[in-house]
């Protein structure tokens, strides 16, 4: 049925009569016809009701019914809807859709069944009326009907003027930025129809039935100082055949192997990007390895509210909502084992790239709002990936805040690590004094991208009542040269990936002169970086290796990067790795070099575990995973990045055992996770002689004693010299020093655990040294001694 207002039967000029009405929310919109006329027309569904609007002239209202061919019945009833909340929201027996676009001239909601999706064909279009389906800049509509087998997207029309920052194209079906799951390809690495790397994507329509049994799950709320973090790649963790996982490379596969992390002593996993991304973004044949390059790491987000669908065993089952449930399952099962879950989030840029990139979502919805643009529409590229998210724009910072809240409230995650977080502190495209403060400020010269001392986004996150209590970790630098380690705006709650810790520890352990003092600062939690700003040792996330760079095994095996497998002629990746191959390059070396490398790996791990701050371990380092010297493995969906469970089993009696005992020891020591920086009352520095530390440029020996309320007192020393030394130990009358850890000894005597049958014999072998307060140390080795009562004073 169609309603048309006419002044006569021969001419038809639409206008609103005094009987026009607007009913918002779930009330249907009607114009002109009286309720009686409307009811009469319903009796003839195939009729055209023409109303003679004569009431303005005082005449009686008349109507003529004209028979017309039957119309195709619409699947949905359409109502005006609500402008909040953004996204698709089940309510009142239907679904409310709301999306903000300040520059679009028209908006269309596209409903698509799965067969039509592959053909990039819209099943049903709902054109939104700017009078009734728009509030401010928010387009909205409420639908009731059968959403079975339906997904959705949007089309926006407006000016296509890249030089002015606008990319509106009514032919493009766009992803809702607030979509909770994305439907496209179902299988990881499989091309779309006609070998399309970017097949049409759409959004799942949520329903009230999308429930998950959390089984009473609650936040673990571990004090951050007690964490041992494990950086994990969901697919890489169980994709190798040696994992023998039922669901390899998925959230469920990771669940199958959580007990390994429990044994390792990990109580927090940091998941590399699990937001929806396109692994085929870099798809091209790699002649070096004979396979295809992938976006394996995932630092190129398509949708921030949606978990990566192809990390789920369900793929796009249940229209992508299966991935939501499997991600929740991973979080719930991790919590059951006492393991928190932190997400690596990439709010600095998106997969849409520069002006040559695809139009997927943000660019087509409101490009000039979501991206940081130059005066002529060019994309600022502080991310090094083509575009920069306009994080401090009011709309964008609200988007980020709501996204973080969603992952905490709905997905139960415990915190976030923000990739290239310095971008979050830069001023946005609309940043000027009038826009921010309401009036001009004398001397205000801030331009787009300028660092802000009090960035609104960081302020909002830091003081948000939902997010204030979760872990917030910044990678405090970006690709535009803004380096903020130790200076990131923090409000007392932000921590940082301590890149300076990584660089200093690598330099000292490999024996570079001039780093003994800086190494001592690292052992204390980097007070030189964090104490003056009012932060604590746990604000430093300490790491030696991460996904970006050498693995721990490669750090002691290669002097230079070996990235030929990336197909970029070894030009990609970091050139300054502060690595040392221990005398010979590569894996096939002499026995003496192999022994030295094993010592160095233990030295690095020991330094990580005895440093104040929060240690982070990179996946696979616990067994010595090698990437063959490749320090930029972003594009490899193969053995280079896969956790090798067969190699881990081979290492179970060697390095993995050492790591497990070291993490357990850290958890047992009250003094290795302090809430405040250590003072002289607790920590004393030593050199080769007690109480006489050497901070000279040529010194490569650092030792200290640490009072521990549980262990009594610890003596910890590092000899980064190429010559062995014998160190004199502090005298403690009535007590004696007993060896616990010595990286210079072969396994299992590198850690004298209580379950080691030969422990007493190993201690007696050094009794003549310890009786005289001496201890011999091999070159490139480290030790931990524990003070015990002397049974024979």
């Amino acid at each position: 049925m169609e309603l048309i207002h006419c002044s006569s039967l021969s001419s038809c000029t639409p206008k609103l009569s005094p009987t026009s009405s607007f009913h918002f929310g779930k009330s249907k919109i009607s114009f002109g016809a009286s309720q009686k006329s409307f009811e009469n027309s319903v009796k003839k569904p195939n009729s055209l009701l023409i109303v003679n609007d004569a009431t303005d002239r005082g005449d009686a209202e008349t109507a003529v019914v004209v028979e017309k061919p039957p119309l195709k019945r619409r699947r949905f009833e359409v109502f005006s809807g609500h402008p909040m909340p953004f996204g698709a929201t089940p309510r009142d027996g239907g679904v409310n859709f709301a999306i903000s676009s300040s520059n679009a001239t028209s908006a269309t909601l596209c409903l698509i069944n799965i067969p039509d999706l592959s053909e990039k064909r819209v099943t049903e279009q709902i054109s939104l009326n700017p009078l009734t389906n728009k509030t401010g800049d928010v387009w909205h509509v409420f639908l009731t009907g059968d959403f079975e087998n339906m997904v959705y997207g949007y089309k926006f029309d407006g000016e296509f003027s890249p030089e002015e920052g606008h990319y509106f194209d009514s032919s493009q079906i766009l992803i809702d930025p607030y979509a909770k799951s994305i439907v496209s390809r179902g299988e990881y690495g499989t091309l779309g129809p006609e070998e399309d790397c970017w097949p049409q994507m759409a959004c799942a329509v949520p329903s009230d039935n999308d429930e998950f049994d959390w089984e009473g799950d609650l936040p673990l709320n571990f004090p951050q100082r007690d964490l041992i973090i494990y950086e994990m790649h969901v697919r890489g963790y169980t994709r190798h055949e040696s994992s023998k996982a039922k669901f390899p490379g998925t959230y469920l596969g990771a669940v199958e192997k959580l007990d390994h992390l429990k044994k390792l002593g990990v109580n927090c996993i940091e998941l590399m990007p699990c937001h929806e991304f396109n692994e085929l973004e870099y798809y091209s044949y790699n002649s070096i390895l004979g396979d295809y390059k992938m976006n394996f790491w995932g630092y190129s987000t398509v949708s921030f509210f949606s978990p990566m669908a192809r990390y789920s065993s369900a793929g796009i089952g249940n229209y992508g909502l299966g991935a939501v449930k499997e991600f929740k399952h991973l979080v719930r099962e991790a919590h059951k084992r006492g393991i928190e879950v932190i997400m690596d989030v990439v709010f600095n840029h998106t997969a849409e790239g520069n002006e040559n990139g695809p139009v997927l979502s943000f660019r087509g919805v409101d490009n000039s709002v979501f991206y940081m643009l130059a005066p002529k529409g060019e994309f600022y590229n502080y991310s090094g990936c083509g575009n920069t998210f306009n994080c401090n724009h009011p709309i964008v910072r609200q988007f980020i805040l709501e996204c973080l809240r969603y992952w905490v409230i709905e997905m139960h995650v415990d915190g976030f690590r923000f990739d290239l977080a310095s971008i979050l502190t830069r001023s946005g495209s609309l940043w000027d004094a009038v826009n921010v403060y309401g009036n001009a400020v004398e001397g205000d010269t801030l331009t787009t991208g300028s660092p802000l001392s009090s960035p609104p986004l960081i302020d909002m996150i830091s003081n948000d009542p939902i997010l204030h209590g979760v872990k917030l970790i910044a990678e405090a630098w970006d690709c535009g040269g803004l380096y903020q380690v130790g200076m990131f705006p923090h409000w007392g709650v932000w921590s940082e990936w301590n890149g300076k810790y990584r660089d200093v520890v690598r330099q000292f352990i490999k024996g570079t002169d001039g780093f003994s003092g800086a190494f001592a600062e690292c052992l204390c939690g980097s007070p030189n970086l964090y104490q003056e700003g009012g932060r604590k040792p746990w604000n430093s996330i300490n790491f030696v290796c991460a996904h970006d760079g050498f693995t721990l095994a490669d750090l002691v095996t290669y002097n230079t990067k070996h990235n030929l497998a990336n197909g970029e002629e070894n030009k990609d990746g970091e050139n300054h790795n502060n690595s040392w191959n221990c005398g010979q390059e590569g894996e096939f070396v002499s026995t003496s070099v192999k022994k030295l490398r094993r010592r160095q790996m233990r030295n690095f791990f020991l330094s990580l575990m005895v440093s104040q701050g929060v240690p982070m371990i990179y996946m696979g380092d616990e067994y010595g995973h090698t990437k063959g010297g490749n320090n930029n493995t972003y594009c490899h969906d193969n053995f280079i990045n896969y956790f090798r469970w067969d190699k881990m089993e081979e290492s179970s009696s060697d390095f993995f055992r050492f790591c497990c005992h070291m993490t357990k020891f850290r958890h047992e020591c009250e003094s290795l996770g302090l809430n405040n920086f250590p003072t002289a009352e607790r920590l004393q520095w030593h050199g080769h002689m007690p109480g006489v530390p050497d901070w000279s440029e040529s010194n490569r020996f650092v030792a200290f004693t640490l009072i521990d309320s549980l262990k009594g007192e610890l003596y910890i020393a590092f000899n980064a010299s190429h010559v062995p030394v014998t160190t004199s130990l502090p005298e403690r009358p009535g007590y004696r020093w007993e060896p616990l850890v010595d990286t210079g000894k072969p396994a299992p005597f590198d850690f004298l655990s209580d379950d080691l049958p030969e422990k007493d014999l190993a201690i007696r072998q050094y009794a003549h040294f310890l009786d005289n307060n001496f201890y011999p140390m091999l070159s490139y080795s480290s030790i931990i001694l524990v003070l015990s009562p002397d049974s024979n004073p």
Side-chain angles (χ1 to χ4, degrees):
M1 184 188 68
E2 185 175 333
L3 293 176
I4 304 176
H5 290 78
C6 298
S7 57
S8 70
L9 294 180
S10 60
S11 64
C12 188
T13 304
K15 70 173 183 177
L16 299 183
S17 77
T19 59
S20 302
S21 61
F22 295 83
H23 300 283
F24 293 94
K26 197 176 174 181
S27 299
K28 205 166 187 178
I29 305 165
S30 61
F31 301 101
S34 66
Q35 183 63 30
K36 185 176 180 180
S37 299
F38 183 81
E39 289 173 353
N40 290 335
S41 71
V42 173
K43 297 176 183 178
K44 294 181 179 291
N46 298 331
S47 302
L48 172 62
L49 176 68
I50 303 177
V51 179
N52 181 13
D53 189 2
T55 54
D56 290 342
R57 304 188 303 272
D59 301 329
E61 185 178 87
T62 61
V64 176
V65 176
V66 180
E67 294 295 330
K68 61 178 291 186
L71 296 175
K72 183 179 179 181
R73 187 173 181 180
R74 216 171 197 180
R75 186 171 180 173
F76 302 98
E77 286 194 279
V78 182
F79 305 90
S80 61
H82 297 268
M84 298 295 287
F86 289 160
T89 308
R91 57 181 298 171
D92 304 328
V95 179
N96 190 79
F97 298 85
I99 186 170
S100 174
S101 179
S102 58
N103 293 297
T105 58
S106 70
T108 302
L109 176 65
C110 302
L111 295 160
I112 313 162
N113 62 36
I114 297 301
D116 284 345
L117 180 66
S118 61
E119 300 295 328
K120 299 185 179 182
R121 186 170 54 232
V122 176
T123 308
E124 188 157 350
Q125 296 190 131
I126 311 293
S127 296
L128 305 190
N129 188 327
L131 292 177
T132 57
N133 297 109
K134 189 180 182 187
T135 303
D137 292 333
V138 182
W139 300 82
H140 48 81
V141 66
F142 181 82
L143 302 184
T144 60
D146 182 10
F147 289 96
E148 183 68 25
N149 200 36
M150 280 287 180
V151 292
Y152 77 98
Y154 288 97
K155 289 182 179 180
F156 285 97
D157 203 357
E159 189 176 4
F160 185 87
S161 177
E163 64 276 8
E164 297 182 70
H166 302 311
Y167 284 79
F168 292 109
D169 181 352
S170 60
S171 69
Q172 293 279 354
I173 302 172
L174 305 172
I175 297 170
D176 180 358
Y178 281 79
K180 305 305 186 293
S181 63
I182 300 298
V183 179
S184 60
R185 296 173 295 104
E187 187 176 344
Y188 187 98
T190 300
L191 293 166
E194 299 180 357
E195 298 190 345
D196 189 357
C197 291
W198 290 96
Q200 181 62 56
M201 291 177 277
C203 319
V205 180
S207 76
D208 290 324
N209 299 323
D210 299 328
E211 296 180 355
F212 178 78
D213 184 4
W214 281 104
E215 300 179 4
D217 178 68
L218 293 171
L220 296 175
N221 288 328
F222 291 144
Q224 187 158 311
R225 64 178 180 271
D226 294 337
L227 296 184
I228 295 179
I229 300 175
Y230 187 88
E231 189 187 24
M232 174 199 288
H233 188 282
V234 168
R235 179 171 171 83
Y237 188 51
T238 61
R239 187 64 187 88
H240 194 266
E241 59 184 11
S242 63
S243 74
K244 299 177 182 178
K246 185 177 180 181
F247 302 102
T250 67
Y251 304 119
L252 296 184
V255 171
E256 295 180 61
K257 294 294 187 178
L258 284 176
D259 289 338
H260 165 75
L261 302 181
K262 186 72 175 177
K263 183 177 181 180
L264 179 58
V266 167
N267 59 4
C268 179
I269 51 177
E270 180 180 300
L271 300 178
M272 289 176 65
C274 288
H275 289 153
E276 182 71 25
F277 67 92
N278 181 11
E279 74 277 10
L280 298 179
E281 183 175 359
Y282 314 138
Y283 189 79
S284 61
Y285 182 70
N286 186 342
S287 60
I288 307 297
L289 294 181
D291 63 0
Y292 289 85
K293 295 173 69 171
M294 298 280 186
N295 174 13
F296 183 77
W297 285 351
Y299 289 92
S300 193
T301 308
V302 168
S303 179
F304 289 100
F305 280 80
S306 310
M308 175 62 167
R310 289 169 302 287
Y311 281 176
S312 73
S313 65
I316 58 172
N318 194 22
Y319 315 112
L321 296 172
V324 176
K325 291 189 175 182
E326 290 191 21
F327 184 92
K328 290 178 177 179
H329 180 73
L330 169 58
V331 174
R332 185 189 69 192
E333 296 305 305
H335 286 175
K336 285 181 181 179
R337 292 163 174 79
I339 299 173
E340 292 190 336
V341 179
I342 290 176
M343 291 187 70
D344 193 340
V345 292
V346 192
F347 287 111
N348 58 79
H349 75 285
T350 77
E352 291 183 308
N354 60 19
E355 64 277 4
N356 297 317
V359 178
L360 306 172
S361 177
F362 306 97
R363 178 169 297 157
V365 173
D366 218 347
N367 181 75
S368 63
V369 166
F370 283 105
Y371 294 114
M372 199 180 290
L373 303 179
K376 293 184 179 180
E378 306 96 329
F379 290 88
Y380 280 106
N381 189 20
Y382 296 115
S383 68
C385 298
N387 64 53
T388 304
F389 218 43
N390 202 17
C391 297
N392 281 298
H393 185 287
I395 295 297
V396 182
R397 63 179 184 250
Q398 178 186 342
F399 168 81
I400 294 174
L401 194 73
E402 291 182 2
C403 181
L404 297 175
R405 286 174 177 169
Y406 172 80
W407 286 94
V408 171
I409 296 171
E410 297 295 329
M411 310 295 266
H412 288 207
V413 302
D414 303 282
F416 306 93
R417 178 264 186 188
F418 294 80
D419 182 65
L420 299 184
S422 288
I423 285 176
L424 278 59
T425 73
R426 291 183 180 271
S427 59
S429 293
L430 292 182
W431 193 271
D432 60 76
V434 175
N435 181 54
V436 178
Y437 304 113
N439 57 275
V441 176
E442 186 177 351
D444 181 19
T445 58
L446 282 177
T447 58
T448 299
S450 297
L452 304 171
S453 58
S454 297
L457 174 61
I458 305 300
D459 185 352
M460 291 172 68
I461 294 173
S462 304
N463 296 291
D464 184 78
I466 300 297
L467 304 176
H468 185 77
V470 305
K471 278 72 177 180
L472 301 171
I473 303 170
E475 183 184 36
W477 55 83
D478 65 22
C479 293
L482 183 55
Y483 190 81
Q484 297 176 305
V485 172
M487 300 174 289
F488 191 84
H490 56 81
W491 277 266
V493 297
W494 284 78
S495 302
E496 298 173 8
W497 261 27
N498 191 344
K500 292 184 178 180
Y501 178 98
R502 171 200 59 205
D503 298 340
V504 168
V505 171
R506 287 186 179 193
Q507 291 276 29
F508 178 80
I509 294 295
K510 77 185 184 77
T512 306
D513 285 342
F515 283 90
S516 58
F519 180 66
E521 292 274 11
C522 291
L523 293 170
C524 292
S526 301
N528 56 317
L529 297 178
Y530 301 111
Q531 190 168 33
E532 185 176 344
R535 283 190 279 182
K536 305 293 185 179
W538 49 264
N539 290 121
S540 174
I541 307 299
N542 302 328
F543 66 102
V544 174
C545 299
H547 69 273
D548 192 0
F550 280 149
T551 66
L552 185 58
D554 289 350
L555 186 65
V556 299
T557 304
Y558 299 95
N559 278 357
T560 60
K561 66 184 181 183
H562 294 262
N563 295 1
L564 286 175
N566 298 353
E568 300 178 44
E569 299 179 345
N570 209 37
K571 295 178 181 179
D572 63 304
E574 177 60 55
N575 292 317
H576 306 287
N577 297 284
N578 297 318
S579 61
W580 179 43
N581 62 16
C582 297
Q584 293 176 268
E585 189 80 354
E587 296 187 41
F588 302 101
V589 294
S590 65
T591 301
S592 61
V593 169
K594 288 182 179 179
K595 289 181 178 178
L596 175 55
R597 289 175 179 175
R598 286 195 288 268
R599 290 207 303 277
Q600 287 291 72
M601 288 175 64
R602 285 164 172 76
N603 293 335
F604 279 120
F605 199 86
L606 189 148
S607 67
L608 195 59
M609 290 300 125
V610 302
S611 297
Q612 301 299 325
V614 178
M616 186 186 80
I617 307 165
Y618 175 54
M619 181 182 83
D621 279 351
E622 69 268 33
Y623 70 84
H625 180 75
T626 177
K627 296 182 179 180
N630 193 325
N631 70 355
N632 188 34
T633 60
Y634 72 97
C635 59
H636 295 290
D637 180 41
N638 53 40
F639 65 92
I640 294 176
N641 280 315
Y642 294 167
F643 190 104
R644 293 289 302 272
W645 292 93
D646 50 347
K647 299 295 182 183
M648 209 292 300
E649 291 172 5
E650 294 173 9
S651 175
S652 60
S653 62
D654 190 359
F655 187 58
F656 179 65
R657 172 189 175 274
F658 178 83
C659 293
C660 290
H661 282 299
M662 280 303 309
T663 57
K664 182 174 183 290
F665 177 73
R666 180 181 175 89
H667 284 308
E668 292 173 347
C669 290
E670 162 269 341
S671 62
L672 294 180
L674 297 176
N675 197 48
N676 293 293
F677 295 101
T679 64
E681 295 179 354
R682 182 187 285 269
L683 185 148
Q684 184 179 8
W685 296 105
H686 307 286
H688 295 298
M689 298 297 293
V692 188
D694 181 0
W695 306 120
S696 66
E697 285 289 306
S698 60
N699 176 57
R700 300 184 185 180
F701 183 87
V702 172
F704 63 99
T705 48
L706 189 64
I707 295 174
D708 188 276
S709 61
L710 300 176
K711 297 290 186 180
E713 190 172 3
L714 310 173
Y715 178 88
I716 302 172
F718 296 86
N719 178 29
S721 172
H722 60 284
V723 297
V725 299
T726 299
T727 181
S728 180
L729 305 174
E731 293 191 13
R732 299 290 187 261
Y735 294 84
R736 62 180 286 115
W737 294 104
E738 289 194 356
L740 177 67
V741 180
D742 188 340
T743 63
K745 295 180 180 178
F749 301 105
D750 49 357
F751 195 109
L752 300 180
S753 58
D754 290 337
D755 60 353
L756 187 65
E758 302 90 345
K759 177 182 177 180
D760 292 339
L761 176 61
I763 292 177
R764 287 197 298 271
Q765 289 178 341
Y766 279 82
H768 57 294
F769 286 104
L770 296 171
D771 288 342
N772 294 284
N773 274 337
F774 290 101
Y775 194 90
M777 294 183 66
L778 208 58
S779 61
Y780 302 107
S781 69
S782 49
I783 62 171
I784 300 177
L785 309 180
V786 181
L787 196 65
S788 301
D790 191 350
S791 57
N792 298 302

